[in-house]
């Protein structure tokens, strides 16, 4: 089976590749759509995610059984246009290529959204359910929400696509721009003793291990009852 991954070199992508390699009695051929080589995968070179022709050609030649669209950018310094390209348009180009090449009933697809799509939530709305109407405030949240709307619209009436919204993912090699990733990075660089710099510690977050997220993603992409759904992946505990 052929698996195409965007964002394969990232936090989630690297763990997904390791997970797929360990599934017994499965022979996955893993492909990385991007610019850089990623261990245990074959590179399908994409010079620019705006290159719709190249995306279409890769999809046509590969005819993937699975697509995990994990690519995204939470860079707070990026402008709206750049964030939209990465977080909204990229997935649209991939889905368009699937449709053009008549693979919409052959390829199983998982799109990663974000808890940032919900925006600010008051205490009466907790715990957050998938029925809560998003009200994103950040550019990241807004562009990810647009991606979700596009993906669910494309899925209808019965294509094999599910959207997941992972909450705060923790685990080995987590990005240092996340709070716990920053703490780990600081602790590793402190000699004997020093000061650990933090932000606001009065907040509460829902944390879930990256390995649990990957296992759930694999189950969801293979579950027909999940197609057309938006699924929060979290522990449900603050």
């Amino acid at each position: 089976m052929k698996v195409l991954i965007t964002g394969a070199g990232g936090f989630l992508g690297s763990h997904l590749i390791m997970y797929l390699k360990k599934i017994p009695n499965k022979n996955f051929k893993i492909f990385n759509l991007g610019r850089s080589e990623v261990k245990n995968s074959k590179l399908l070179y994409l010079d620019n995610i705006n290159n719709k022709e190249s995306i279409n050609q890769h999809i046509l030649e590969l005819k993937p059984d699975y697509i995990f669209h994990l690519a995204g950018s939470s860079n707070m310094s990026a402008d709206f246009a750049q964030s939209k390209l990465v977080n909204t348009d990229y997935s649209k180009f991939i889905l368009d290529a699937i449709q053009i090449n008549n693979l919409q009933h052959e390829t199983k697809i998982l799109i990663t959204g974000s808890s940032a799509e919900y925006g600010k939530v008051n205490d009466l709305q907790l715990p957050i359910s998938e029925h809560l109407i998003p009200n994103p405030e950040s550019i990241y949240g807004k562009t990810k929400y647009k991606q979700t709307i596009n993906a669910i619209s494309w899925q209808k009436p019965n294509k094999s696509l599910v959207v997941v919204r992972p909450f705060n993912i923790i685990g080995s090699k987590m990005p240092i721009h996340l709070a716990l990733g920053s703490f780990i990075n600081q602790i590793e660089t402190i000699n004997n003793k020093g000061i650990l710099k933090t932000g606001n510690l009065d907040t509460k977050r829902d944390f879930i291990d990256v390995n649990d997220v990957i296992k759930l993603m694999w189950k969801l992409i293979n579950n027909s009852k999940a197609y057309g759904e938006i699924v929060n992946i979290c522990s449900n505990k603050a």
Side-chain angles (χ1 to χ4, degrees):
M1 287 186 286
K2 292 171 287 187
V3 181
L4 179 62
I5 304 174
T6 68
F11 178 43
L12 265 180
S14 59
H15 282 274
L16 174 60
I17 291 173
M18 287 190 294
Y19 178 78
L20 294 174
K21 287 292 183 180
K22 293 178 182 178
I23 296 179
N25 304 317
K26 297 288 186 182
N27 182 23
F28 292 109
K29 294 180 180 179
I30 302 172
F31 297 85
N32 157 36
L33 184 62
R35 293 182 183 178
S36 305
E37 297 280 353
V38 175
K39 187 178 179 181
N40 293 319
S41 68
K42 181 178 179 179
L43 176 64
L44 298 182
Y45 185 74
L46 182 64
D47 60 340
N48 192 310
I49 60 177
N50 209 11
N51 190 338
K52 292 181 279 187
E53 292 77 13
S54 182
I55 292 172
N56 183 64
Q57 190 62 32
H58 284 311
I59 295 290
L60 172 62
E61 294 176 358
L62 183 60
K63 293 180 175 59
D65 298 291
Y66 292 94
I67 292 179
F68 287 87
H69 182 58
L70 310 181
S73 174
S74 57
N75 184 356
M76 297 302 177
S77 62
D79 61 21
F80 184 83
Q82 181 61 29
S83 294
K84 180 176 179 291
L85 176 62
V86 179
N87 297 327
T88 305
D89 297 340
Y90 192 8
S91 63
K92 183 180 184 301
F93 299 154
I94 292 172
L95 296 178
D96 286 346
I98 290 291
Q99 192 80 29
I100 290 169
N101 293 296
N102 199 30
L103 297 169
Q104 64 270 26
H105 299 300
E106 307 296 328
T107 305
K108 297 177 180 179
I109 304 167
L110 182 141
I111 303 285
T112 51
S114 170
S115 58
E117 295 176 46
Y118 290 111
K120 287 185 178 179
V121 179
N122 64 51
D123 290 344
L124 296 177
Q125 294 172 309
L126 296 175
I128 296 173
S129 80
E130 291 84 351
H131 299 293
L132 180 66
I133 298 175
N135 186 28
E137 296 185 334
S138 66
I139 291 176
Y140 175 62
K142 290 177 180 178
T143 52
K144 276 291 190 179
Y145 183 42
K146 181 62 176 176
Q147 174 185 255
T148 295
I149 294 172
N150 291 344
I152 294 299
S153 176
W154 180 90
Q155 186 276 338
K156 298 182 184 304
N158 62 341
K159 304 183 187 80
S160 303
L161 179 147
V162 58
V163 175
V164 299
R165 286 177 179 151
F167 279 60
N168 296 268
I169 309 171
I170 58 176
S172 172
K173 300 180 181 179
M174 63 187 300
I176 63 173
H177 71 266
L178 300 176
L180 293 187
S182 172
F183 297 165
I184 292 169
N185 184 61
Q186 290 182 68
I187 291 168
E188 288 178 338
T189 56
I190 290 175
N191 293 320
N192 297 321
K193 61 181 181 179
I195 296 174
L196 179 67
K197 296 180 180 180
T198 75
N200 180 9
L201 296 180
D202 293 331
T203 59
K204 293 182 179 181
R205 293 288 184 267
D206 184 312
F207 293 107
I208 184 168
D209 187 88
V210 65
N211 295 305
D212 292 330
V213 173
I214 296 299
K215 290 176 184 176
L216 290 169
M217 285 168 50
W218 178 245
K219 288 183 177 181
L220 288 166
I221 201 172
N222 287 294
N223 187 341
S224 61
K225 293 181 180 179
Y227 301 152
E229 298 292 338
I230 301 167
V231 182
N232 291 340
I233 300 183
C234 54
S235 70
N236 200 33
K237 295 180 181 178

